[in-house]
Amino acid sequence: MNKFLAVLTCTAACALASASYAEDPPMGFFVTSVGLGDGGNLGGLEGADAHCASLAEAAGAAGRTWRAYLSTQEEGKRGISARSRIGTGPWYNANGELIAVDLDQLHIMPNLYLRTAVDENGNRIKGRGDDVNEHDILTGTQEDGTSYFPWQEGDKTCSNWTSNGEGSATVGHHDRHGGGNTSWNAAHNSRGCSADDLRGTGGNGYFYCFAAD
């Protein structure tokens, strides 16, 4: 009898362990499924972070510290760098696919392409070749994830994510295609900061969100 109970207990425990192991890792990365509707005005970093958290909560991924992958600019010195805001990884998308194990892989050779750069619900974001191209993702950053130097002239962050008119923002291509540049975070600058300007170069005010914890 005791032997039977021991076997039964082991079987149940092993099954539970296997089920736990088979579960997808928690989501730690997504592209916003919708923008904030005001061009490059995201309400600053605070507003962008809040948008990430709101979308994640609606998708059932509340309880994590969500940060928008955005840099800022400051006069006379470097601003806040996107890479310094998002933790150390690893990060998985909503479908359980690994995007990068750490900051180095994320900025050198991430698993970030049209198929994997999905929104918070695991849905694909439209890219080059679709009926509407929305592959421009707001970042305001350089390829290594750092903010621009003060001597690099011009607005790269839509006035630190508060402008919906004048200015410009650096964008990446989540599908890694277009314009001869395959960068996911620093492909080119937008025409301006209005919603129409962002759409004019193939965007819709989307940005990347990462869990920093």
Side-chain angles (χ1 to χ4, degrees):
M1 183 67 175
N2 289 339
K3 183 177 181 180
F4 173 75
L5 288 175
V7 171
L8 184 63
T9 301
C10 177
T11 301
C14 291
L16 182 61
S18 296
S20 177
Y21 182 80
E23 289 180 0
D24 287 337
M27 178 175 70
F29 161 85
F30 62 89
V31 181
T32 57
S33 59
V34 293
L36 283 161
D38 196 20
N41 178 16
L42 309 178
L45 293 181
E46 183 177 349
D49 290 345
H51 189 53
C52 287
S54 177
L55 292 177
E57 181 176 2
R64 303 202 70 179
T65 302
W66 290 96
R67 294 286 182 263
Y69 183 88
L70 299 169
S71 291
T72 64
Q73 293 175 283
E74 292 189 39
E75 187 174 352
K77 63 178 182 178
R78 300 184 80 175
I80 297 170
S81 294
R83 67 178 293 150
S84 70
R85 312 186 68 245
I86 62 171
T88 58
W91 301 279
Y92 295 83
N93 68 13
N95 298 325
E97 297 173 286
L98 179 66
I99 298 299
V101 297
D102 56 25
L103 286 167
D104 286 338
Q105 184 184 8
L106 180 65
H107 292 96
I108 297 173
M109 193 177 292
N111 180 32
L112 205 161
Y113 303 94
L114 180 67
R115 182 182 62 80
T116 59
V118 295
D119 69 17
E120 68 277 6
N121 298 304
N123 298 320
R124 188 170 74 85
I125 302 294
K126 291 182 178 180
R128 190 175 177 88
D130 287 320
D131 56 342
V132 177
N133 183 13
E134 298 178 333
H135 72 173
D136 282 2
I137 310 298
L138 299 169
T139 67
T141 190
Q142 302 186 96
E143 278 198 273
D144 63 355
T146 61
S147 59
Y148 284 92
F149 290 93
W151 48 261
Q152 292 173 287
E153 297 181 357
D155 184 12
K156 316 289 188 184
T157 63
C158 285
S159 297
N160 289 330
W161 315 112
T162 62
S163 174
N164 61 4
E166 294 184 356
S168 181
T170 299
V171 300
H173 289 164
H174 81 288
D175 59 1
R176 313 293 288 274
H177 285 288
N181 191 323
T182 61
S183 176
W184 66 273
N185 64 348
H188 60 83
N189 292 330
S190 66
R191 292 178 184 172
C193 295
S194 71
D196 286 342
D197 285 331
L198 297 183
R199 284 192 290 267
T201 52
N204 202 16
Y206 301 154
F207 48 94
Y208 300 112
C209 298
F210 287 82
D213 54 0

